[in-house]
Coordinates of all heavy atoms in Angstrom, one line a residue:
T200 N 98.6 103.9 69.9 CA 99.7 103.0 69.6 C 99.7 101.9 70.7 O 99.5 102.1 71.9 CB 101.1 103.7 69.7 OG1 101.1 104.5 70.8 CG2 101.3 104.5 68.4
Q201 N 100.0 100.7 70.3 CA 100.1 99.6 71.2 C 101.5 99.4 71.7 O 102.5 99.7 70.9 CB 99.7 98.3 70.4 CG 98.2 98.2 70.2 CD 97.5 97.8 71.5 OE1 98.0 97.1 72.3 NE2 96.3 98.4 71.7
V202 N 101.7 98.9 72.9 CA 103.0 98.5 73.3 C 102.9 97.0 73.7 O 101.8 96.5 74.0 CB 103.5 99.3 74.5 CG1 103.7 100.8 74.1 CG2 102.6 99.2 75.7
S203 N 104.0 96.3 73.8 CA 104.0 94.9 74.1 C 103.7 94.7 75.6 O 103.8 95.6 76.4 CB 105.3 94.3 73.8 OG 106.3 94.7 74.7
A204 N 103.2 93.5 75.9 CA 103.0 93.1 77.3 C 104.3 93.2 78.1 O 104.2 93.6 79.3 CB 102.4 91.7 77.4
D205 N 105.4 92.9 77.5 CA 106.7 93.1 78.2 C 106.9 94.5 78.7 O 107.5 94.6 79.8 CB 107.8 92.7 77.2 CG 108.0 91.2 77.0 OD1 107.2 90.5 77.5 OD2 108.9 90.9 76.2
A206 N 106.4 95.5 78.0 CA 106.6 96.9 78.4 C 105.9 97.1 79.7 O 106.4 97.9 80.5 CB 106.1 97.8 77.3
G207 N 104.8 96.4 79.9 CA 104.1 96.5 81.2 C 104.9 95.9 82.4 O 105.0 96.5 83.4
E208 N 105.4 94.8 82.1 CA 106.2 94.1 83.2 C 107.5 94.9 83.5 O 107.9 95.1 84.6 CB 106.6 92.7 82.7 CG 107.3 91.9 83.9 CD 107.4 90.4 83.5 OE1 106.9 90.0 82.5 OE2 108.0 89.7 84.4
K209 N 108.0 95.5 82.4 CA 109.3 96.3 82.6 C 109.0 97.5 83.4 O 109.8 97.9 84.3 CB 109.8 96.6 81.2 CG 111.2 97.1 81.1 CD 111.7 97.3 79.7 CE 112.9 98.2 79.7 NZ 112.9 99.0 78.5
L210 N 107.9 98.3 83.0 CA 107.6 99.5 83.8 C 107.3 99.1 85.2 O 107.7 99.8 86.2 CB 106.4 100.2 83.2 CG 106.0 101.5 83.8 CD1 107.1 102.5 83.8 CD2 104.7 102.1 83.2
F211 N 106.5 98.0 85.4 CA 106.2 97.6 86.8 C 107.5 97.4 87.6 O 107.7 97.9 88.7 CB 105.4 96.3 86.8 CG 105.1 95.9 88.3 CD1 104.0 96.4 88.9 CD2 106.0 95.1 89.0 CE1 103.7 96.1 90.2 CE2 105.8 94.8 90.3 CZ 104.6 95.3 91.0
G212 N 108.5 96.7 86.9 CA 109.7 96.4 87.6 C 110.6 97.6 87.9 O 111.5 97.5 88.8
S213 N 110.4 98.7 87.1 CA 111.3 99.8 87.4 C 110.6 100.9 88.2 O 111.3 101.7 88.9 CB 111.8 100.4 86.0 OG 110.7 100.9 85.3
V214 N 109.3 101.0 88.2 CA 108.6 102.1 88.9 C 107.6 101.6 89.9 O 107.7 101.9 91.1 CB 107.9 103.0 87.9 CG1 107.1 104.1 88.6 CG2 108.9 103.6 86.9
C215 N 106.6 100.8 89.4 CA 105.4 100.5 90.3 C 105.8 99.6 91.5 O 105.2 99.6 92.5 CB 104.4 99.8 89.4 SG 104.2 100.5 87.8
T216 N 106.9 98.8 91.2 CA 107.3 97.8 92.3 C 107.6 98.5 93.6 O 107.4 97.9 94.7 CB 108.5 97.0 91.8 OG1 108.9 96.0 92.8 CG2 109.7 97.9 91.5
T217 N 108.1 99.7 93.5 CA 108.5 100.5 94.7 C 107.4 100.4 95.8 O 107.6 100.2 97.0 CB 108.8 102.0 94.4 OG1 109.7 102.0 93.3 CG2 109.3 102.7 95.6
C218 N 106.1 100.6 95.3 CA 105.0 100.6 96.3 C 104.2 99.3 96.2 O 103.6 98.9 97.2 CB 104.1 101.8 96.0 SG 104.9 103.4 96.2
H219 N 104.1 98.7 95.0 CA 103.1 97.7 94.8 C 103.6 96.3 95.1 O 102.9 95.3 95.1 CB 102.5 97.7 93.4 CG 101.5 98.9 93.3 ND1 100.2 98.8 93.7 CD2 101.7 100.1 92.8 CE1 99.6 99.9 93.4 NE2 100.4 100.8 92.9
T220 N 105.0 96.1 95.3 CA 105.4 94.8 95.7 C 105.2 94.5 97.2 O 104.7 93.5 97.6 CB 106.9 94.6 95.3 OG1 106.9 94.5 93.8 CG2 107.5 93.3 95.8
A221 N 105.6 95.5 98.0 CA 105.4 95.3 99.4 C 104.1 95.8 99.9 O 103.6 95.5 101.0 CB 106.5 96.1 100.2
G222 N 103.3 96.5 99.1 CA 102.1 97.1 99.5 C 102.3 98.3 100.4 O 101.6 98.5 101.4
L223 N 103.2 99.1 100.0 CA 103.6 100.3 100.8 C 102.5 101.4 100.8 O 101.8 101.6 99.8 CB 104.8 100.9 100.1 CG 105.9 101.4 101.0 CD1 106.6 100.2 101.8 CD2 107.0 102.1 100.2
M224 N 102.2 102.0 101.9 CA 101.3 103.1 102.1 C 99.9 102.8 101.5 O 99.2 103.6 100.9 CB 101.8 104.3 101.4 CG 103.1 104.7 102.0 SD 103.9 106.2 101.2 CE 104.1 105.7 99.6
G225 N 99.5 101.5 101.7 CA 98.1 101.2 101.3 C 98.0 100.7 99.8 O 96.9 100.5 99.3
A226 N 99.1 100.6 99.1 CA 99.1 100.2 97.7 C 98.7 98.8 97.6 O 99.2 97.9 98.4 CB 100.4 100.5 97.0
P227 N 97.7 98.4 96.7 CA 97.4 97.0 96.5 C 98.6 96.2 96.0 O 99.3 96.6 95.1 CB 96.3 97.1 95.4 CG 96.4 98.4 94.7 CD 97.0 99.3 95.8
K228 N 98.8 95.1 96.7 CA 100.0 94.3 96.5 C 99.9 93.4 95.2 O 98.9 92.8 94.9 CB 100.2 93.3 97.6 CG 101.2 93.8 98.7 CD 101.2 92.9 99.8 CE 102.4 91.9 99.8 NZ 102.6 91.3 101.1
L229 N 101.0 93.3 94.5 CA 101.1 92.5 93.3 C 100.7 91.1 93.6 O 101.1 90.5 94.6 CB 102.5 92.5 92.7 CG 102.6 91.8 91.3 CD1 101.9 92.6 90.2 CD2 104.1 91.5 91.0
A230 N 99.8 90.5 92.8 CA 99.4 89.1 92.9 C 98.5 88.8 94.2 O 98.3 87.7 94.5 CB 100.6 88.2 92.9
D231 N 98.1 89.9 94.9 CA 97.2 89.7 96.1 C 95.8 89.8 95.6 O 95.3 90.9 95.4 CB 97.6 90.7 97.2 CG 96.8 90.5 98.5 OD1 95.6 90.1 98.4 OD2 97.4 90.6 99.5
K232 N 95.1 88.7 95.5 CA 93.8 88.7 94.9 C 92.8 89.4 95.8 O 91.9 90.1 95.3 CB 93.3 87.3 94.7 CG 94.1 86.6 93.5 CD 93.6 85.2 93.2 CE 94.5 84.6 92.1 NZ 94.1 83.3 91.7
A233 N 92.9 89.3 97.1 CA 92.0 90.0 98.0 C 92.1 91.5 97.9 O 91.2 92.3 97.9 CB 92.2 89.6 99.4
D234 N 93.4 92.0 97.7 CA 93.6 93.4 97.5 C 93.1 93.9 96.2 O 92.6 95.0 96.1 CB 95.2 93.7 97.5 CG 95.8 94.0 98.8 OD1 95.1 93.8 99.8 OD2 97.0 94.3 98.9
W235 N 93.2 93.1 95.2 CA 92.8 93.5 93.8 C 91.4 93.3 93.4 O 90.9 94.0 92.6 CB 93.8 92.9 92.8 CG 95.1 93.6 92.7 CD1 96.2 93.3 93.4 CD2 95.3 94.8 92.1 NE1 97.2 94.3 93.1 CE2 96.7 95.2 92.3 CE3 94.5 95.6 91.2 CZ2 97.2 96.4 91.8 CZ3 95.1 96.8 90.7 CH2 96.4 97.1 91.0
A236 N 90.7 92.3 94.0 CA 89.3 92.0 93.5 C 88.4 93.2 93.5 O 87.8 93.5 92.5 CB 88.7 90.9 94.4
P237 N 88.3 94.0 94.6 CA 87.4 95.1 94.6 C 87.8 96.2 93.6 O 87.0 97.0 93.1 CB 87.4 95.7 96.0 CG 88.6 95.1 96.6 CD 88.9 93.8 95.9
R238 N 89.1 96.3 93.3 CA 89.6 97.3 92.4 C 89.3 96.8 91.0 O 88.9 97.7 90.1 CB 91.1 97.5 92.6 CG 91.4 98.0 94.0 CD 92.9 98.1 94.3 NE 93.1 98.6 95.7 CZ 93.0 99.9 96.1 NH1 92.7 100.8 95.2 NH2 93.3 100.2 97.3
I239 N 89.6 95.6 90.7 CA 89.3 95.0 89.3 C 87.8 95.2 89.0 O 87.4 95.5 87.9 CB 89.8 93.6 89.2 CG1 91.3 93.5 89.2 CG2 89.2 92.9 87.9 CD1 91.9 92.1 89.4
A240 N 87.0 95.1 90.1 CA 85.5 95.2 89.9 C 85.1 96.5 89.4 O 84.0 96.7 88.9 CB 84.8 94.8 91.2
Q241 N 85.9 97.5 89.6 CA 85.6 98.9 89.1 C 85.6 99.0 87.6 O 85.1 99.9 87.0 CB 86.6 99.9 89.7 CG 86.7 100.0 91.1 CD 87.9 101.0 91.5 OE1 87.6 102.1 92.0 NE2 89.1 100.6 91.2
G242 N 86.3 98.0 87.0 CA 86.5 98.1 85.6 C 87.9 98.6 85.2 O 88.4 99.5 85.9
K243 N 88.4 98.1 84.1 CA 89.8 98.5 83.7 C 89.9 100.0 83.3 O 90.9 100.6 83.6 CB 90.2 97.7 82.5 CG 91.2 96.6 82.9 CD 91.9 96.0 81.8 CE 92.7 94.8 82.3 NZ 93.4 94.1 81.2
D244 N 88.8 100.6 82.8 CA 88.9 102.0 82.4 C 89.2 102.9 83.7 O 90.0 103.9 83.6 CB 87.6 102.5 81.7 CG 87.6 102.0 80.3 OD1 88.6 101.6 79.8 OD2 86.5 102.0 79.7
T245 N 88.6 102.5 84.8 CA 88.8 103.3 86.0 C 90.3 103.0 86.5 O 91.0 104.0 86.9 CB 87.8 102.9 87.1 OG1 86.5 103.2 86.6 CG2 88.1 103.6 88.4
L246 N 90.7 101.8 86.4 CA 92.1 101.5 86.8 C 93.1 102.3 86.0 O 94.1 102.8 86.5 CB 92.4 100.0 86.7 CG 91.5 99.1 87.6 CD1 91.9 97.6 87.4 CD2 91.6 99.5 89.1
Y247 N 92.9 102.3 84.7 CA 93.8 103.0 83.8 C 93.8 104.5 84.1 O 94.8 105.1 84.2 CB 93.3 102.9 82.3 CG 93.5 101.6 81.7 CD1 92.6 101.2 80.6 CD2 94.5 100.7 82.0 CE1 92.7 100.0 80.0 CE2 94.6 99.4 81.4 CZ 93.7 99.1 80.4 OH 93.9 97.9 79.8
K248 N 92.6 105.1 84.3 CA 92.4 106.5 84.6 C 93.2 106.8 85.9 O 93.9 107.8 86.0 CB 91.0 106.9 84.7 CG 90.7 108.3 84.6 CD 89.2 108.6 84.7 CE 88.8 108.9 86.1 NZ 87.4 109.0 86.4
H249 N 93.0 106.0 86.9 CA 93.6 106.3 88.2 C 95.2 106.1 88.1 O 95.9 106.9 88.7 CB 93.1 105.3 89.3 CG 91.7 105.7 89.8 ND1 90.9 104.9 90.4 CD2 91.1 106.9 89.6 CE1 89.8 105.5 90.8 NE2 89.9 106.8 90.3
A250 N 95.6 105.1 87.3 CA 97.1 104.9 87.2 C 97.7 106.0 86.4 O 98.9 106.5 86.7 CB 97.4 103.5 86.6
I251 N 97.1 106.5 85.4 CA 97.7 107.5 84.5 C 97.6 108.9 85.2 O 98.5 109.7 85.2 CB 97.0 107.5 83.1 CG1 97.3 106.2 82.4 CG2 97.4 108.7 82.3 CD1 96.4 106.0 81.2
G252 N 96.4 109.2 85.7 CA 96.2 110.6 86.2 C 96.4 110.7 87.7 O 96.5 111.8 88.2
G253 N 96.6 109.6 88.4 CA 96.8 109.6 89.8 C 95.4 109.9 90.5 O 94.5 110.3 89.9
Y254 N 95.3 109.5 91.8 CA 94.1 109.8 92.6 C 94.4 109.6 94.1 O 95.4 109.0 94.5 CB 93.0 108.9 92.2 CG 93.0 107.5 92.7 CD1 92.2 107.0 93.7 CD2 94.0 106.6 92.2 CE1 92.2 105.7 94.1 CE2 94.0 105.3 92.6 CZ 93.2 104.9 93.6 OH 93.2 103.6 94.1
Q255 N 93.5 110.2 94.9 CA 93.5 110.0 96.3 C 92.5 109.0 96.6 O 91.3 109.3 96.4 CB 93.2 111.3 97.0 CG 92.9 111.2 98.5 CD 94.1 111.0 99.4 OE1 94.9 111.9 99.5 NE2 94.2 109.8 100.0
G256 N 92.8 107.9 97.2 CA 91.9 106.8 97.5 C 91.7 106.7 99.0 O 92.2 107.6 99.8
K257 N 91.0 105.7 99.5 CA 90.8 105.5 100.9 C 92.0 105.1 101.6 O 92.3 105.3 102.8 CB 89.7 104.5 101.1 CG 88.3 105.1 100.8 CD 87.2 104.0 101.2 CE 85.8 104.5 100.6 NZ 85.1 103.4 100.0
A258 N 92.9 104.3 100.9 CA 94.1 103.7 101.4 C 95.3 104.7 101.4 O 96.1 104.7 102.3 CB 94.4 102.4 100.7
G259 N 95.3 105.6 100.4 CA 96.5 106.4 100.2 C 96.4 107.1 98.9 O 95.4 107.2 98.3
V260 N 97.6 107.6 98.5 CA 97.7 108.4 97.2 C 98.4 107.6 96.2 O 99.5 107.1 96.4 CB 98.5 109.7 97.4 CG1 98.7 110.4 96.1 CG2 97.7 110.6 98.4
M261 N 97.8 107.4 95.0 CA 98.5 106.8 93.9 C 98.9 108.0 93.0 O 98.2 108.8 92.5 CB 97.4 106.0 93.1 CG 97.8 105.6 91.7 SD 99.3 104.5 91.7 CE 99.9 104.9 90.0
P262 N 100.3 108.2 92.9 CA 100.8 109.3 92.1 C 100.6 109.1 90.6 O 100.7 107.9 90.2 CB 102.3 109.4 92.5 CG 102.6 108.2 93.2 CD 101.4 107.4 93.5
A263 N 100.3 110.1 89.9 CA 100.1 110.0 88.4 C 101.3 109.3 87.8 O 102.5 109.6 88.1 CB 100.0 111.4 87.8
K264 N 101.1 108.2 87.1 CA 102.1 107.3 86.4 C 103.2 106.9 87.4 O 104.3 106.7 87.1 CB 102.7 108.1 85.3 CG 101.7 108.4 84.2 CD 102.3 109.1 83.0 CE 101.3 109.2 81.8 NZ 101.8 109.9 80.7
G265 N 102.8 106.8 88.7 CA 103.8 106.4 89.7 C 104.9 107.4 89.8 O 106.0 107.1 90.4
G266 N 104.7 108.6 89.3 CA 105.8 109.6 89.4 C 106.7 109.5 88.2 O 107.7 110.2 88.1
S267 N 106.4 108.7 87.2 CA 107.4 108.4 86.1 C 107.0 109.3 84.9 O 105.9 109.9 84.9 CB 107.3 107.0 85.7 OG 106.2 106.7 85.0
Q268 N 107.8 109.2 83.9 CA 107.5 109.9 82.6 C 107.0 108.9 81.5 O 107.1 109.2 80.3 CB 108.8 110.6 82.1 CG 109.4 111.5 83.0 CD 108.6 112.8 83.2 OE1 108.1 113.3 82.2 NE2 108.4 113.2 84.4
A269 N 106.5 107.8 82.0 CA 106.1 106.7 81.0 C 104.9 107.2 80.2 O 104.2 108.2 80.6 CB 105.7 105.5 81.8
S270 N 104.7 106.6 79.0 CA 103.6 107.0 78.2 C 102.3 106.4 78.7 O 102.4 105.4 79.6 CB 103.8 106.5 76.7 OG 103.7 105.1 76.7
D271 N 101.2 106.9 78.3 CA 99.9 106.4 78.8 C 99.8 104.9 78.4 O 99.3 104.1 79.2 CB 98.7 107.1 78.1 CG 98.5 108.5 78.6 OD1 99.3 109.0 79.4 OD2 97.5 109.1 78.2
E272 N 100.3 104.5 77.2 CA 100.2 103.1 76.8 C 101.1 102.2 77.7 O 100.7 101.1 78.0 CB 100.6 103.0 75.3 CG 99.7 103.7 74.4 CD 98.2 103.3 74.5 OE1 97.9 102.1 74.8 OE2 97.3 104.2 74.5
E273 N 102.2 102.7 78.1 CA 103.1 101.9 79.0 C 102.4 101.7 80.3 O 102.5 100.6 80.9 CB 104.4 102.6 79.1 CG 105.3 102.4 77.9 CD 106.6 103.3 78.0 OE1 106.5 104.4 78.6 OE2 107.6 102.9 77.4
V274 N 101.8 102.7 80.8 CA 101.1 102.6 82.1 C 99.9 101.6 82.0 O 99.7 100.8 82.9 CB 100.6 104.0 82.6 CG1 99.8 103.9 83.9 CG2 101.8 104.9 82.9
K275 N 99.2 101.7 80.9 CA 98.1 100.8 80.7 C 98.6 99.3 80.7 O 98.0 98.4 81.3 CB 97.4 101.1 79.4 CG 96.4 102.3 79.5 CD 95.7 102.4 78.2 CE 94.9 103.7 78.2 NZ 94.2 103.9 76.9
A276 N 99.8 99.1 80.0 CA 100.4 97.8 79.9 C 100.8 97.3 81.3 O 100.6 96.1 81.7 CB 101.5 97.8 79.0
A277 N 101.3 98.2 82.2 CA 101.6 97.9 83.5 C 100.4 97.5 84.4 O 100.4 96.5 85.2 CB 102.4 99.0 84.2
V278 N 99.3 98.2 84.1 CA 98.0 97.9 84.8 C 97.6 96.5 84.4 O 97.2 95.7 85.2 CB 96.9 99.0 84.6 CG1 95.6 98.5 85.1 CG2 97.3 100.3 85.2
D279 N 97.6 96.3 83.1 CA 97.2 94.9 82.6 C 98.1 93.8 83.2 O 97.6 92.8 83.6 CB 97.4 94.9 81.0 CG 96.4 95.7 80.3 OD1 95.4 96.1 80.9 OD2 96.7 95.9 79.1
Y280 N 99.4 94.1 83.4 CA 100.3 93.1 84.0 C 99.8 92.9 85.5 O 99.7 91.7 85.9 CB 101.7 93.7 84.0 CG 102.7 92.8 84.8 CD1 103.1 91.6 84.3 CD2 103.2 93.4 86.0 CE1 104.0 90.8 85.1 CE2 104.1 92.6 86.7 CZ 104.5 91.4 86.3 OH 105.4 90.6 87.0
M281 N 99.5 93.9 86.2 CA 99.1 93.8 87.6 C 97.8 93.1 87.7 O 97.6 92.2 88.6 CB 99.0 95.2 88.2 CG 100.4 95.9 88.3 SD 100.3 97.7 88.6 CE 100.3 97.8 90.3
V282 N 96.9 93.4 86.8 CA 95.6 92.7 86.8 C 95.7 91.2 86.5 O 95.1 90.4 87.2 CB 94.6 93.4 85.9 CG1 93.3 92.6 85.7 CG2 94.2 94.8 86.4
S283 N 96.6 90.9 85.5 CA 96.8 89.5 85.2 C 97.4 88.7 86.3 O 97.0 87.5 86.5 CB 97.7 89.4 83.9 OG 99.0 89.6 84.2
K284 N 98.2 89.3 87.1 CA 98.8 88.6 88.3 C 97.8 88.4 89.4 O 98.1 87.5 90.3 CB 100.0 89.4 88.8 CG 101.2 89.5 87.9 CD 101.9 88.1 87.9 CE 103.0 88.1 86.9 NZ 103.6 86.8 86.7
A285 N 96.8 89.1 89.4 CA 95.8 89.0 90.5 C 94.5 88.3 90.1 O 93.6 88.3 90.8 CB 95.5 90.4 91.0
S286 N 94.5 87.8 88.8 CA 93.3 87.2 88.3 C 93.4 85.7 88.3 O 94.5 85.1 88.4 CB 93.0 87.6 86.9 OG 92.9 89.1 86.9
Ligands
LIG430 FE1 99.8 102.5 92.3 C1 96.7 102.1 93.5 C2 98.8 101.1 89.3 C3 103.0 103.1 91.0 C4 100.9 103.8 95.3 N1 98.1 101.8 91.5 C5 96.9 101.7 92.2 C6 95.9 101.1 91.4 C7 96.5 100.8 90.2 C8 97.9 101.3 90.3 C9 95.9 100.2 88.9 C10 94.5 100.8 91.7 C11 93.5 101.9 91.3 C12 92.1 101.7 91.8 O1 91.8 100.9 92.6 O2 91.2 102.4 91.2 N2 100.7 102.2 90.5 C13 100.2 101.6 89.4 C14 101.1 101.5 88.3 C15 102.3 102.0 88.8 C16 102.0 102.5 90.1 C17 100.8 100.9 86.9 C18 103.6 102.3 88.0 C19 103.5 103.2 86.8 N3 101.6 103.3 93.0 C20 102.8 103.4 92.3 C21 103.8 104.0 93.2 C22 103.2 104.3 94.4 C23 101.8 103.8 94.3 C24 105.2 104.3 92.8 C25 103.8 104.9 95.6 C26 104.6 106.0 95.6 N4 98.9 102.9 94.1 C27 99.5 103.4 95.2 C28 98.6 103.5 96.3 C29 97.4 103.0 95.8 C30 97.6 102.7 94.4 C31 98.9 104.0 97.7 C32 96.0 102.8 96.5 C33 95.3 104.2 96.6 C34 93.9 104.0 97.3 O3 93.7 104.5 98.4 O4 93.0 103.3 96.7

């Protein structure tokens, strides 16, 4: 199922912003191209997988879905939103 681009911005604003606006604990900052370029270079499938399932990276821990109960599609839309801001 598809969700709207708005759903991505909305989830970002309610959940992801906690870490990704200020760049807390090593989180790549929204709209910071230098932070995002090497991550975007991994490909979107990796970004989706990491955002949905969580992972331990070199900078810190990305919690699965940011600790939220969002659907996979909503999390993907939020990743798309973050990537669009850094492109
Ligand atoms: Fe995060 C990372 C998304 C929330 C913390 N993230 C990340 C990434 C992405 C994301 C896409 C990249 C990946 C790669 O590179 O592979 N997030 C996201 C989203 C959200 C979030 C969409 C909402 C849902 N985070 C979050 C939170 C936090 C975080 C809430 C805190 C708590 N992250 C993070 C970190 C990182 C990330 C720390 C980095 C890690 C490493 O080391 O790399």
Side-chain angles (χ1 to χ4, degrees):
T200 47
Q201 283 286 325
V202 298
S203 70
D205 283 1
E208 187 169 357
K209 198 173 156 211
L210 182 63
F211 181 87
S213 62
V214 177
C215 323
T216 184
T217 308
C218 298
H219 287 278
T220 290
L223 224 64
M224 301 177 299
K228 265 174 99 164
L229 187 70
D231 186 319
K232 290 184 185 178
D234 271 5
W235 279 97
R238 299 179 181 278
I239 291 169
Q241 302 174 109
K243 260 195 184 174
D244 285 345
T245 298
L246 298 181
Y247 290 154
K248 196 176 95 189
H249 283 164
I251 292 167
Y254 76 108
Q255 165 79 66
K257 287 183 190 139
V260 175
M261 164 65 203
K264 295 182 174 179
S267 77
Q268 302 292 317
S270 70
D271 289 6
E272 295 308 320
E273 286 169 329
V274 174
K275 285 184 186 177
V278 172
D279 288 345
Y280 171 73
M281 293 162 92
V282 168
S283 77
K284 289 288 175 188
S286 305

